[in-house]
Amino acid sequence: MSIARKILHLKEERNAVILAHNYVNGEIQDIADFVGDSLELSLKAKACRAPVIVFCGVRFMAETAKILSPDSIVLHPNPNAGCPMADMADASAVAQYRAEHPDTLIVAYVNTTAETKTAVDICCTSGNAERVIRTIPPEQKILFLPDANLGANLIAKLNRPMELWPGYCPTHHRIFPETVEKARKAHPGALVLVHPECHPNVVRLADQSLSTGGMLKFVRESEHREFIIGTECGILHRMRKDNPGKKFYPLEPNPLCPNMKKITLEDVLFSLQDMEPRIRLNPEVIGKARAPIEKMLEIRP
Ligand code: 13P
Ligand code: SF4
């Protein structure tokens, strides 16, 4: 029996649901019950009420699933799959900032640890960040963390001053304007889509700046046939699968998140066999980290 079939078999036995981010290896996306962006996965984790969730993505995403479904067992098949940007906003440094700036509202990108979420006011994802910021009164001071690129892109789009934490995504920060210009020259008829974790100088050159879920929706609904994709290459798997008549060009060099690629089919199988490694969080951390996530989820499109 193939590994994929063994996983599907065991998944039934365990009554488990497999959630996967748009960046993980294609073979994992193919066996998942649901593939999505951070916001879609948070909503799915909350709604699915499965006794076992196998979360194929980086750690902060699996933690979010655990925070929203504390009674479920959340398996994270490779505990080494972390997000370097999430680790750039240390919980104690954020708590110290909070103590020193009691009049500042802290907006945290979901790419933060559970511990850090306990010290913030509201979360956002790349899919809802604009909506979240728009709900905050204009006179309110804001600290946006940890992604200074996403923050700077929001400031430019919404004309809204915010203080920025000096974090960045190593994968998206390494996409240069020249790389996008080169791709445009090679494919002059293609639309350029980039992720808002890219530097504002890159976003300025793009036709659209969207979350991974936003990109998938855009290419599905667009009448255009060709797209240059400025985000992690794992998304190309689903784009090509869902849109066989359209062409997708990655950037050169192709952006890759090494952490998203750490999760293998073997890891997923072993996690279902052993029911480990699990996300274990202190109930107090779950309680405090849940509030800013729930606040975000209350804001509807
Ligand atoms: P999305 O919410 O757009 O899927 O982004 C998550 C992420 O980590 C991007 O690097
Ligand atoms: Fe983190 Fe960047 Fe990887 Fe997304 S692509 S998980 S932000 S390191």
Side-chain angles (χ1 to χ4, degrees):
M1 208 194 295
S2 70
I3 298 178
R5 284 193 68 83
K6 281 184 190 160
I7 290 171
L8 296 178
H9 195 73
L10 203 49
K11 187 189 78 152
E12 294 297 311
E13 233 170 71
R14 301 279 196 223
N15 211 355
V17 163
I18 301 179
L19 305 183
H21 187 264
N22 291 319
Y23 292 161
V24 298
N25 292 314
E27 55 193 15
I28 292 182
Q29 296 188 31
D30 291 343
I31 50 115
D33 294 291
F34 183 79
V35 184
D37 70 12
S38 309
L39 179 60
E40 293 163 341
L41 292 171
S42 299
L43 292 168
K44 208 70 188 176
K46 190 173 177 204
C48 76
R49 298 182 180 280
V52 180
I53 298 173
V54 184
F55 201 102
C56 303
V58 291
R59 184 176 167 93
F60 78 80
M61 297 178 177
E63 284 184 348
T64 305
K66 180 68 186 173
I67 291 164
L68 291 171
S69 304
D71 298 330
S72 304
I73 292 172
V74 176
L75 299 172
H76 189 215
N78 188 330
N80 298 318
C83 168
M85 172 157 70
D87 295 334
M88 290 177 192
D90 175 65
S92 55
V94 176
Q96 187 180 337
Y97 178 98
R98 193 181 180 82
E100 289 168 2
H101 302 82
D103 57 343
T104 299
L105 187 110
I106 305 182
V107 181
Y109 192 25
V110 276
N111 299 40
T112 40
T113 64
E115 198 75 43
T116 295
K117 287 186 178 80
T118 65
V120 309
D121 294 292
I122 187 164
C123 287
C124 72
T125 70
S126 56
N128 65 13
E130 286 178 31
R131 277 203 303 278
V132 169
I133 304 291
R134 281 186 213 278
T135 63
I136 303 168
E139 63 284 0
Q140 173 64 57
K141 280 192 215 157
I142 299 175
L143 166 70
F144 186 87
L145 64 83
D147 189 359
N149 284 341
L150 175 58
N153 288 320
L154 288 164
I155 291 172
K157 184 122 191 227
L158 303 175
N159 192 21
R160 169 79 204 240
M162 298 193 289
E163 192 174 340
L164 302 177
W165 195 269
Y168 61 92
C169 161
T171 304
H172 289 92
H173 196 61
R174 288 184 187 141
I175 297 175
F176 295 117
E178 293 86 332
T179 316
V180 175
E181 282 161 355
K182 204 170 78 189
R184 257 215 210 272
K185 265 195 202 127
H187 308 289
L191 285 183
V192 176
L193 314 186
V194 303
H195 197 277
E197 287 176 12
C198 294
H199 191 278
N201 290 342
V202 169
V203 169
R204 229 169 272 137
L205 295 175
D207 295 297
Q208 296 286 330
S209 154
L210 296 162
S211 71
T212 59
M215 282 188 198
L216 283 155
K217 182 170 184 291
F218 184 88
V219 301
R220 199 172 53 240
E221 293 173 356
S222 173
E223 283 174 6
H224 263 80
R225 315 301 297 165
E226 296 182 48
F227 305 88
I228 293 162
I229 303 301
T231 193
E232 212 276 345
C233 57
I235 198 171
L236 292 164
H237 177 76
R238 197 169 147 204
M239 271 181 181
R240 290 181 173 138
K241 201 165 138 182
D242 292 356
N243 304 278
K246 298 184 179 179
K247 286 191 174 155
F248 301 99
Y249 308 113
L251 296 175
E252 281 296 334
N254 203 351
L256 187 127
C257 173
N259 282 284
M260 285 285 184
K261 300 298 185 266
K262 281 181 185 165
I263 299 171
T264 63
L265 272 185
E266 286 83 353
D267 291 334
V268 176
L269 177 64
F270 295 148
S271 72
L272 276 165
Q273 277 174 355
D274 303 343
M275 294 300 281
E276 291 286 350
R278 294 183 192 190
I279 297 288
R280 289 186 170 83
L281 294 173
N282 174 326
E284 201 184 323
V285 169
I286 291 185
K288 284 192 184 158
R290 192 177 169 113
I293 302 173
E294 289 285 3
K295 226 181 256 175
M296 163 185 88
L297 295 179
E298 277 161 22
I299 300 169
R300 292 284 162 198

